Amino acid sequence: GKSRSTMNILTYASPISIKPYRMWSISLYKGTLSHENFAREKRGVLQMLRPEHAYCKGTKAAGEEAEAQAGELIRMLGGSSGMDVDKRALCAELGYAWEKLLPEEEEGEVEWPHVLPSCVYYLKLELVGDLIDCGSHEVALCKVVSMISDGEIQNSADELGSLSTRKLRELSIISELGRVIPLETCA
């Protein structure tokens, strides 16, 4: 049967080609719902997060600012499995209710997963070839089907404002090995 949508934090993601079409390499941790879904569907959405996602500056449906500790969204997405928790509900509680990816899909087009609001951009990715077993992760070489942004991106320099693993390490949200650092360890 079809399992539910989920999101996770990729430790490894990199653009690898621009011609004949844009391609990215992404790593998927084995044994996760994200890995299971991507292996089955052979597609997904790579979301370039902004620093506000690390600082949990989201708003709830009623318009009030969500109360969350810095890093809570990232820790939940990267430190738990969609097999064990309802990430969609938890994101909404933190002020990041999932949205339909716009622009609206054409009639008959494949339905894409929902996304977090306020990302720098969203890349619709489709697997090229097979997943490559690399031990703890499988690597997917993906063609960029389309890129959707909020219109604020003017050039590649705007990407410098995106949330990076370097920033997450500086904020003690992830370790040098890219693993989530539990809140109680940070206190």
Side-chain angles (χ1 to χ4, degrees):
K2 189 175 179 183
S3 55
R4 67 180 168 189
S5 287
T6 190
M7 291 184 193
N8 74 344
I9 300 295
L10 292 178
T11 307
Y12 308 104
S14 179
I16 57 172
S17 179
I18 56 171
K19 289 183 179 181
Y21 39 75
R22 292 183 184 273
M23 289 190 61
W24 276 68
S25 169
I26 61 170
S27 67
L28 299 158
Y29 192 70
K30 292 179 188 174
T32 63
L33 187 55
S34 293
H35 174 268
E36 184 180 294
N37 287 348
F38 193 90
R40 182 186 62 252
E41 300 294 326
K42 303 191 181 331
R43 63 186 173 79
V45 179
L46 180 62
Q47 304 174 67
M48 184 66 71
L49 303 182
R50 294 182 189 274
E52 75 173 63
H53 293 102
Y55 293 109
C56 291
K57 301 288 187 200
T59 55
K60 295 192 176 189
E64 75 267 13
E65 194 167 296
E67 290 185 34
Q69 289 187 295
E72 198 169 341
L73 177 69
I74 304 302
R75 285 185 175 92
M76 183 271 297
L77 290 173
S80 60
S81 172
M83 293 180 184
D84 303 322
V85 299
D86 184 346
K87 291 187 178 186
R88 183 181 198 133
L90 292 171
C91 283
E93 287 176 24
L94 294 173
Y96 289 96
W98 295 5
E99 302 174 341
K100 196 152 185 69
L101 188 58
L102 298 175
E104 288 295 326
E105 282 98 9
E106 299 291 325
E107 192 65 38
E109 186 180 326
V110 171
E111 184 177 325
W112 288 84
H114 285 74
V115 296
L116 289 173
S118 305
C119 290
V120 175
Y121 57 76
Y122 307 88
L123 298 178
K124 289 182 174 181
L125 301 178
E126 288 184 348
L127 180 65
V128 174
D130 296 321
L131 292 172
I132 303 164
D133 190 340
C134 294
S136 59
H137 292 69
E138 283 193 319
V139 169
L141 301 180
C142 301
K143 178 165 89 169
V144 177
V145 176
S146 68
M147 178 175 140
I148 299 166
S149 70
D150 62 9
E152 292 179 21
I153 299 175
Q154 301 302 316
N155 57 53
S156 60
D158 292 335
E159 289 184 33
L160 297 176
S162 65
L163 185 58
S164 66
T165 52
R166 173 193 227 166
K167 185 65 175 173
L168 293 174
R169 286 184 184 99
E170 288 172 5
L171 295 170
S172 298
I173 294 172
I174 64 170
S175 70
E176 287 299 317
L177 297 176
R179 299 204 180 268
V180 167
I181 300 171
L183 275 174
E184 50 277 3
T185 308
C186 300

